[in-house]
Amino acid sequence: MSPAFKPTSRAKRGPPGNAGKSSGRSAACDKSELAAHWAAADLNALLACVRDRPSNVLRYVTGRLYSSDEKEKWRAVETLGYLTERTDLIPQRQVVELLRRFVWALNDESGAVPFGIPEAMGEILHRRPDLQSEFLPILGSTLTAESMNQTGAIERGVIWALGRVGPASVSCPNLTETLHRIAESRPEPESRAIARHALSRMGLAPGS
């Protein structure tokens, strides 16, 4: 399995970027300033921007999900999880609004190609279990409901996300059957592997 699909362990890894380094500057928090903080991996500066302009930061980091650089995409996934967990900085209504935009991006009617979106949803729901009741069933349906099915890399992102959430994902209707089917009979080795990984994260053995 590609390392990109391995879940982040918060016990072993700290927040993304350099949390101990301060830029020593007041953040203007416009796009160019945010880009500079992102390039410098200056988490303290990003947090300063979150305090002043949370919407700007969330919008900027969400944009990094679409990066062609896999490392940058996964850094954005981790960062969104970390930021949305900071309930002292980002109001719940903004996190809910972000997740609703992600749900729309996963809808065919949006016309979007939602690279990185499922993974970000999974990371946020892993860190914010209080939001799972509203959004986890929707995430699960993108794998199980024919009208919402994703394919290829997007489908693998959904599977990773459900595995990231862990045992709570078992509550999604028809999910375990779908994952077992993918793990056992999908032609693509990467899809079979990520499905087995997700089942393991949920506490289920493939084939059980």
Side-chain angles (χ1 to χ4, degrees):
M1 186 187 307
S2 166
F5 286 106
K6 291 181 180 177
T8 304
S9 172
R10 290 167 59 199
K12 295 180 180 178
R13 297 178 62 179
N18 185 353
K21 174 184 175 184
S22 174
S23 65
R25 296 177 295 161
S26 60
C29 302
D30 60 12
K31 187 174 181 179
S32 61
E33 191 78 13
L34 290 171
H37 297 330
W38 183 260
D42 190 342
L43 182 61
N44 282 347
L46 281 177
L47 289 175
C49 285
V50 169
R51 291 183 180 93
D52 294 334
R53 301 183 182 180
S55 297
N56 285 20
V57 178
L58 290 177
R59 189 180 307 113
Y60 181 84
V61 179
T62 297
R64 310 284 71 75
L65 294 173
Y66 296 90
S67 173
S68 58
D69 183 333
E70 278 286 297
K71 290 182 179 179
E72 177 156 337
K73 182 194 86 169
W74 284 101
R75 185 175 153 212
V77 167
E78 288 188 42
T79 301
L80 284 170
Y82 176 73
L83 292 177
T84 55
E85 191 177 35
R86 291 291 303 268
T87 55
D88 57 319
L89 295 178
I90 299 182
Q92 174 145 326
R93 61 177 176 76
Q94 288 189 295
V95 181
V96 169
E97 180 183 337
L98 178 67
L99 287 168
R100 286 176 178 166
R101 289 203 302 268
F102 287 169
V103 169
W104 172 245
L106 288 168
N107 190 309
D108 285 343
E109 294 181 12
S110 72
V113 180
F115 290 119
I117 295 297
E119 295 93 328
M121 284 190 70
E123 185 68 19
I124 292 170
L125 293 178
H126 168 69
R127 296 181 183 240
R128 293 292 306 270
D130 56 306
L131 299 175
Q132 289 176 8
S133 61
E134 180 175 354
F135 292 101
L136 184 55
I138 300 172
L139 182 62
S141 70
T142 64
L143 190 67
T144 60
E146 186 175 348
S147 61
M148 296 185 68
N149 277 173
Q150 303 293 330
T151 59
I154 308 301
E155 180 189 63
R156 289 191 290 273
V158 171
I159 296 170
W160 181 92
L162 292 164
R164 180 64 169 146
V165 173
S169 295
V170 175
S171 64
C172 297
N174 303 317
L175 179 62
T176 56
E177 297 92 330
T178 301
L179 285 174
H180 281 302
R181 186 168 59 251
I182 294 171
E184 293 164 9
S185 60
R186 186 59 62 84
E188 302 86 2
E190 190 172 15
S191 295
R192 295 197 303 271
I194 191 62
R196 289 194 297 269
H197 174 72
L199 286 166
S200 176
R201 287 273 303 171
M202 294 175 196
L204 302 170
S208 63

